[in-house]
Amino acid sequence: MTETPFSVIGRRLPRLDAVDQTTGRIRYADDLTLPGMLVGRQLASTHAHALITSIDTSRAEALEGVRAVLTGADLPITYGILPISQDENVFAVDRVRYVGEPVAGVAAVDRETAERALDLIDVQYEPLDEVVTLDQAFDDDRPLIHGEGFGKNVHRSAALEFGDVEEGFASADHIREDIFSFGGTTHAALETHAALASYGTDGRLTLRSSTQIPHYLHRALEKVLEMPPERIRVIATPVGGGFGGKTDPFSHEIAAAKLSMVTGQPVKITLTREEVFYTHRGRHPVLMWLKTGFRSDGRITALHFTTFLDGGAYGSYGIATLYYTGALQTSTYRIPNYRFEGVRVFTNKPPCGAKRGNGTPQPRFALECHLDKAAHDLGIDPVAIRLRNVVKPFSMTVNHLRITSCALTECIERVIEASGFSGKYGQLPEGRGVGFAIGAYMSGAGLPIYWNDMPQSEVEVTVDDSGHVTVRSMATDIGQGSTSMLGGIVAECLGLEPDDLTMVTADTDLTPIDLGSYSSRVTFMAGNAALEAGVRVRSRVVAAVADELGVNPGDLVARGGRIELADEPGSGTTWSEAVRCTVAATGRPLIESGSYRPPELAGPYRGSGVGISPAYSYSACVVEIDCDRDTGMVKVEQVWLAHDVGKALNPMLVEGQIEGGVYMGLSEALFEEHAFRGGLHRGPSLLDYKMPTTLEMPPVECIIVESDDPEGPFGAKEVGQGPLLPVIPAVANAIHDALGVRIDETPFTPDKIVAGLVDLSRGGTGRVGPKAVPDFKFPPLTRVEPPEGFDAR
Amino acid sequence: MTERAVTIPINGEGRQLLIPENRTLLEVLREDLEMTGTKHGCDLGECGACTVLLDGLPVLSCLVLAREVDGRSVTTVEGLAGDAGPDELQTAFAELGAAQCGYCTPGMLLSARALLDENPAPTTGEVREALAGNLCRCTGYVKIIDAVRLAASRSPE
Ligand code: FES
Ligand code: FES
């Protein structure tokens, strides 16, 4: 092992909750009960689009054991995760917009009674025309899903141009256009959502929920329940898988709260698996058209990228997702002239939102397959075309993203080397193939979801007189290990072991702000706050001990549970002595805090808040597959993934995120399909919604690349979302290498591969995928000057 | 609903219960006995999160009626550790980071325990076979498979 200056950072340490996890002691939201607790259930809409002409709850209310029944009229205030799309109600008001939308809620003494009560609620509907497909959404004669009358169901559109795309195309030697389609997928976290509310006699509400965003949930409760925020406490329980699926405030959370307020008893609502499929907020289906100009050596001269997003029935994260489908193309490749046009429509399906990579895996799939095709056109190696275009570290992109540390080239080189790509590509026997792709992701969104100029993360460190350390942060552990990450950083600062610390997290009463576990922000942002707090505690202790010992503070270190002279292990004093000495010397408790606010990064245009981040992670991936010509079945043999994580604070947890990202990428590439027949979900169950088991999951070789980010805590960047991105196009490219077919539409199911082979055998191109995009008139382009000093050559 | 008296030895301790005919073993464990270590992800036999051992063999407790297990022994995650300390599987899962969100972990541990009881030195392929009914959304199974192999290598015999 190489010597490191760190004692905790860089070690393969188990999670702090590993023993609780492996003994069944960890308590998820649905594991909790309170005395007198009632069971809440929600009635789901049976129509995709209909007016509610009447709701009669009297029979339900009369049922013995039923304590409360609520409908839309009881909670008329709208909410939503983004301030600009507050379009949801806890229970549908006057109209339902998708099958499964909550229409009413009950609280009863037990589940059987609650379910019987739902059956007794009489809802009368007047069906409206459904809007299910993109084409229907652009049809002028369909009813508006939001609003009255008929017309196109456009939620939001955007049109931006950076530099001069036409000029870029004019200077190109080769121009290529392609169309791709990314199918919708959902998170399917193994834990179904659950929320337990209790409204006390003191007029305070406590909500324990499997949420990734206790702070934003707190705000939604405040708004919809019209309660002062200081009377609401939200506790995020350990989350049994999130992936973005628990980053919206949800109907069942607010409903549980209201039911508890009405009944005066605790109320728990746990969604069934079927309800989770309707709650959704998963990956947007996106249809994409793109056109790129290349010089003959492969250098990109201009890119025009167009996206059509099927958003489902409500806004959710959709406006952000729309901009994300155009934001990060430039984060990997130096694109001198760039035009993005995108539109998100409403349809009568469960709302789409944020899933791992929110809005970026779809364009990444398109771009990486498109580049592979362009490399073929130009007779260039697919690796070389990427290397020729990679962004430079510490540069600005044409759309005003600030790139800092970037080891993309090293990621590419190492993954190519480890996988033996160059000796395999185009050379494996028929049916076997390798594919390559890259990606990048943000280390946290540069701006909070609602405008404010407070820090995005704060951490408090409290040390009691015995020297025991408590760390407080609202950061929410969704399995990624954020609590262990924070403990590791503070322990490193103080020369302690992480399991010496008590961690208090994700509780709006007890912990200072962290905006939540989304956009891969926690390591960078809460990590920096923890580092600052830890350093402040250490500085105070070191100063006091230096005074006491009459030495220079600069000569002391916190190490191995002591404050000692750097070059004299065992000298100085124990940590607990040092703490007592500090408190005595300063006469005030040893409590310090730290915070993190990203630098101001937004560019000079509307929409520039999306895509900016204090740092970007980079990945490169090679996938090797074996595909059966007759059945079209793809077997993934191995995946190699190199990820520039800045610094691996805990390599074991980093690998876990890479492996999980690879798994989810493969799953979306080959299996997952959040598909509908009309407005009806095709199979809202874990049996119908296909995902890989142990039998389909190949070995994964993780290659951790460390670029030591100058602003990240100990140099760290994100790892939770980035590694998924290149996997999907790498599979598509491998299928092409294996069989010569191009499947330009996810998932790459056997039927599509066989269709491609049939087309090939009939003299076609072997391409399967969408052939046209809707004829939609985007708004006039907003033209944005590239950043100052941007080198367009 | 008629009720029935059953005695179920759970983790070596006989529990006497009066249960409705349609109550599942999962409901008895989680709701009646408040043994919430056993998880549920679907309640329909699709995910494996509710796996427990019945007479040493893995079953999906959401599909088993409690009345059917009268007198048969049930092992849950709470009963995996013995007097000598944690099961090798528990140690290996914690050590290798085989649990991320941890929600699939109890079911995984029990499926793996059943495998190692029958086959103390499984190949990777055999581990994959044995865990194929347990879904995990976080780990890609990589470290889970490694942990089972590590535990097997450390087990006596
Ligand atoms: S709860 Fe999913 S199989 Fe039993
Ligand atoms: S660790 Fe989260 S489902 Fe397996």
Side-chain angles (χ1 to χ4, degrees):
Chain A
M1 250 181 97
T2 51
E3 274 295 310
T4 79
F6 304 118
S7 56
V8 177
I9 299 303
R11 263 166 70 196
R12 304 179 70 86
L13 290 173
R15 298 169 56 95
L16 292 173
D17 52 1
V19 173
D20 283 351
Q21 287 181 321
T22 50
T23 53
R25 277 199 290 252
I26 183 172
R27 292 283 192 128
Y28 302 88
D30 188 45
D31 298 338
L32 304 174
T33 50
L34 287 171
M37 187 178 85
L38 302 172
V39 174
R41 295 281 287 124
Q42 292 169 289
L43 181 67
S45 163
T46 49
H47 290 258
H49 202 190
L51 299 176
I52 299 173
T53 53
S54 72
I55 301 187
D56 180 358
T57 59
S58 56
R59 288 200 304 150
E61 279 161 53
L63 184 68
E64 195 184 323
V66 172
R67 294 287 189 268
V69 182
L70 299 175
T71 65
D74 298 303
L75 290 157
I77 297 174
T78 58
Y79 65 96
I81 183 69
L82 300 186
I84 41 174
S85 34
Q86 302 280 302
D87 58 3
E88 298 178 51
N89 281 102
V90 175
F91 300 116
V93 174
D94 300 335
R95 189 205 285 225
V96 290
R97 297 181 171 89
Y98 64 94
V99 172
E101 179 168 8
V103 173
V106 302
V109 290
D110 55 32
R111 198 170 50 231
E112 290 70 23
T113 310
E115 271 161 17
R116 239 177 306 140
L118 294 184
D119 289 341
L120 296 174
I121 298 173
D122 183 19
V123 188
Q124 295 296 322
Y125 295 102
E126 182 185 313
L128 298 169
D129 266 356
E130 291 175 3
V131 181
V132 176
T133 64
L134 268 188
D135 285 339
Q136 290 169 351
F138 288 117
D139 183 345
D140 289 308
D141 298 327
R142 295 265 169 172
L144 291 174
I145 294 172
H146 292 272
E148 302 304 317
F150 299 83
K152 292 191 199 320
N153 274 287
V154 170
H155 176 201
R156 185 62 77 93
S157 58
L160 295 164
E161 176 151 335
F162 308 91
D164 188 331
V165 167
E166 290 315 323
E167 204 180 283
F169 286 137
S171 66
D173 301 317
H174 176 67
I175 288 179
R176 181 170 180 101
E177 292 177 35
D178 279 300
I179 297 177
F180 294 90
S181 161
F182 198 107
T185 65
T186 200
H187 320 83
L190 208 56
E191 175 204 33
T192 64
H193 309 46
L196 168 56
S198 72
Y199 186 69
T201 48
D202 56 358
R204 292 199 88 224
L205 169 73
T206 302
L207 184 74
R208 294 172 170 82
S209 182
S210 50
T211 178
Q212 301 178 232
I213 44 143
H215 174 67
Y216 295 132
L217 174 56
H218 188 258
R219 288 172 56 86
L221 291 165
E222 172 192 346
K223 183 184 182 202
V224 180
L225 300 174
E226 296 180 279
M227 272 176 83
E230 63 273 17
R231 307 201 76 81
I232 303 171
R233 176 181 185 184
V234 176
I235 302 169
T237 48
V239 177
F243 319 113
K246 294 164 182 165
T247 52
D248 284 59
F250 288 109
S251 162
H252 71 277
E253 295 173 315
I254 307 173
K258 184 70 177 181
L259 286 166
S260 179
M261 292 168 75
V262 172
T263 60
Q265 287 171 269
V267 175
K268 181 164 74 181
I269 299 182
T270 303
L271 299 190
T272 64
R273 178 54 62 184
E274 184 177 356
E275 287 173 323
V276 174
F277 277 97
Y278 300 143
T279 301
H280 189 46
R281 318 297 157 130
R283 181 104 55 229
H284 284 69
V286 185
L287 183 62
M288 294 162 282
W289 172 89
L290 71 165
K291 173 178 170 182
T292 310
F294 297 92
R295 294 213 192 269
S296 52
D297 65 0
R299 270 180 303 154
I300 296 168
T301 62
L303 171 62
H304 181 181
F305 207 103
T306 307
T307 62
F308 302 83
L309 287 74
D310 179 350
Y314 290 97
S316 183
Y317 280 88
I319 293 176
T321 312
L322 169 65
Y323 281 97
Y324 275 124
T325 62
L328 295 192
Q329 284 85 332
T330 56
S331 66
T332 50
Y333 300 120
R334 205 165 147 284
I335 298 167
N337 302 288
Y338 179 49
R339 181 186 298 165
F340 165 64
E341 292 170 310
V343 56
R344 181 181 194 259
V345 299
F346 287 122
T347 53
N348 292 121
K349 291 181 289 194
C352 298
K355 184 183 175 191
R356 209 172 196 168
N358 185 15
T360 68
Q362 303 97 324
R364 184 54 60 185
F365 157 62
L367 185 58
E368 295 297 313
C369 294
H370 176 75
L371 276 181
D372 239 47
K373 297 182 189 196
H376 276 267
D377 296 346
L378 294 164
I380 305 178
D381 177 82
V383 180
I385 197 170
R386 268 107 176 167
L387 285 171
R388 212 148 283 166
N389 287 292
V390 291
V391 289
K392 292 197 180 72
F394 301 95
S395 64
M396 293 295 291
T397 70
V398 73
N399 59 338
H400 296 259
L401 304 182
R402 185 198 69 160
I403 307 295
T404 56
S405 64
C406 167
L408 179 53
T409 301
E410 187 183 342
C411 289
I412 293 174
E413 287 167 355
R414 289 187 57 188
V415 84
I416 292 302
E417 155 111 40
S419 62
F421 180 85
S422 306
K424 293 175 179 170
Y425 179 68
Q427 296 157 53
L428 294 175
E430 156 122 47
R432 281 187 84 102
V434 284
F436 168 68
I438 66 167
Y441 200 67
M442 311 178 300
S443 301
L447 291 178
I449 280 176
Y450 67 98
W451 192 88
N452 74 83
D453 56 7
M454 293 179 287
Q456 284 211 29
S457 284
E458 299 166 353
V459 170
E460 279 171 24
V461 178
T462 307
V463 191
D464 72 16
D465 290 356
S466 74
H468 181 70
V469 177
T470 301
V471 180
R472 290 187 172 79
S473 162
M474 211 181 290
T476 301
D477 207 318
I478 60 171
Q480 87 281 43
S482 59
T483 302
S484 306
M485 177 276 298
L486 292 171
I489 285 178
V490 173
E492 177 70 48
C493 293
L494 305 183
L496 303 173
E497 285 295 310
D499 51 12
D500 294 337
L501 278 42
T502 294
M503 305 299 296
V504 179
T505 58
D507 182 329
T508 61
D509 262 16
L510 302 183
T511 61
I513 193 82
D514 177 78
L515 293 182
S517 288
Y518 66 95
S519 81
S520 275
R521 51 179 298 291
V522 180
T523 292
F524 205 95
M525 301 199 185
N528 264 322
L531 176 59
E532 187 173 77
V535 167
R536 284 180 174 157
V537 170
R538 183 178 64 201
S539 302
R540 265 184 73 190
V541 173
V542 162
V545 171
D547 231 26
E548 176 84 11
L549 300 181
V551 300
N552 191 337
D555 294 336
L556 290 173
V557 292
R559 183 169 64 197
R562 303 186 70 80
I563 302 295
E564 59 189 21
L565 289 163
D567 48 13
E568 238 181 276
S571 64
T573 170
T574 63
W575 167 254
S576 52
E577 272 306 319
V579 168
R580 281 191 283 274
C581 161
T582 310
V583 175
T586 56
R588 60 187 174 88
L590 185 46
I591 301 173
E592 293 293 336
S593 61
S595 64
Y596 180 78
R597 184 178 14 206
E600 282 182 24
L601 297 166
Y605 61 95
R606 191 157 170 245
S608 69
V610 167
I612 52 170
S613 176
Y616 298 87
S617 74
Y618 288 91
S619 320
C621 177
V622 169
V623 172
E624 183 167 341
I625 62 155
D626 191 349
C627 184
D628 186 308
R629 274 196 73 90
D630 298 325
T631 63
M633 288 290 290
V634 171
K635 178 168 185 283
V636 181
E637 298 287 346
Q638 184 160 356
V639 177
W640 295 262
L641 197 136
H643 186 74
D644 166 16
V645 68
K647 168 82 190 167
L649 299 180
N650 180 334
M652 189 167 84
L653 299 191
V654 167
E655 282 168 13
Q657 289 302 305
I658 295 175
E659 289 156 2
V662 166
Y663 153 86
M664 202 164 268
L666 293 176
S667 187
E668 294 195 42
L670 295 167
F671 297 96
E672 293 184 38
E673 228 168 338
H674 198 64
F676 291 81
R677 193 172 284 119
L680 268 191
H681 198 290
R682 282 204 194 203
S685 78
L686 295 180
L687 213 56
D688 293 302
Y689 189 78
K690 298 279 181 250
M691 300 179 288
T693 70
T694 46
L695 296 176
E696 287 81 28
M697 186 64 198
V700 179
E701 184 174 332
C702 300
I703 301 162
I704 297 176
V705 175
E706 297 188 323
S707 58
D708 199 10
D709 188 80
E711 294 173 30
F714 298 102
K717 302 192 284 190
E718 82 87 41
V719 63
Q721 307 191 63
L724 176 146
L725 295 162
V727 176
I728 299 162
V731 173
N733 292 338
I735 291 170
H736 180 259
D737 187 45
L739 296 171
V741 299
R742 273 286 170 195
I743 315 302
D744 290 345
E745 177 182 290
T746 69
F748 318 128
T749 45
D751 54 317
K752 293 176 192 169
I753 291 171
V754 169
L757 286 168
V758 168
D759 183 61
L760 210 55
S761 71
R762 293 186 181 149
T765 59
R767 175 183 182 269
V768 175
K771 297 195 168 59
V773 294
D775 182 20
F776 173 71
K777 200 170 172 312
F778 286 98
L781 284 170
T782 300
R783 291 186 179 275
V784 185
E785 284 298 310
E788 215 174 306
F790 179 76
D791 177 8
R793 271 172 305 133
Chain B
M1 184 76 54
T2 50
E3 299 205 324
R4 175 192 291 245
V6 293
T7 304
I8 310 175
I10 298 175
N11 299 330
E13 190 187 335
R15 309 291 293 247
Q16 295 181 343
L17 298 150
L18 200 58
I19 48 152
E21 295 274 352
N22 66 351
R23 201 122 175 102
T24 65
L25 178 57
L26 176 67
E27 290 166 334
V28 167
L29 290 170
R30 286 183 55 83
E31 292 169 24
D32 300 340
L33 300 174
E34 292 186 17
M35 294 174 65
T36 55
T38 304
K39 301 302 171 202
H40 66 116
C42 67
D43 299 282
L44 291 168
E46 297 163 351
C47 73
C50 64
T51 305
V52 299
L53 301 187
L54 185 59
D55 294 333
L57 295 177
V59 294
L60 300 173
S61 62
C62 70
L63 294 185
V64 174
L65 288 176
R67 65 184 167 93
E68 289 171 2
V69 302
D70 193 4
R72 299 168 68 186
S73 86
V74 172
T75 307
T76 71
V77 68
E78 290 96 339
L80 257 188
D83 294 338
D87 190 292
E88 290 287 8
L89 283 161
Q90 291 173 306
T91 309
F93 268 59
E95 196 179 315
L96 295 191
Q100 284 185 25
C101 81
Y103 204 78
C104 68
T105 308
M108 288 284 180
L109 285 167
L110 290 155
S111 291
R113 181 73 267 155
L115 168 70
L116 297 193
D117 284 345
E118 193 196 292
N119 178 0
T123 62
T124 302
E126 288 166 340
V127 175
R128 286 180 186 273
E129 286 282 346
L131 301 182
N134 292 77
L135 293 177
C136 174
R137 273 305 254 179
C138 299
T139 63
Y141 310 104
V142 180
K143 297 202 185 308
I144 293 175
I145 293 164
D146 289 349
V148 176
R149 300 260 294 159
L150 177 66
S153 74
R154 283 174 177 170
S155 297
E157 285 160 278

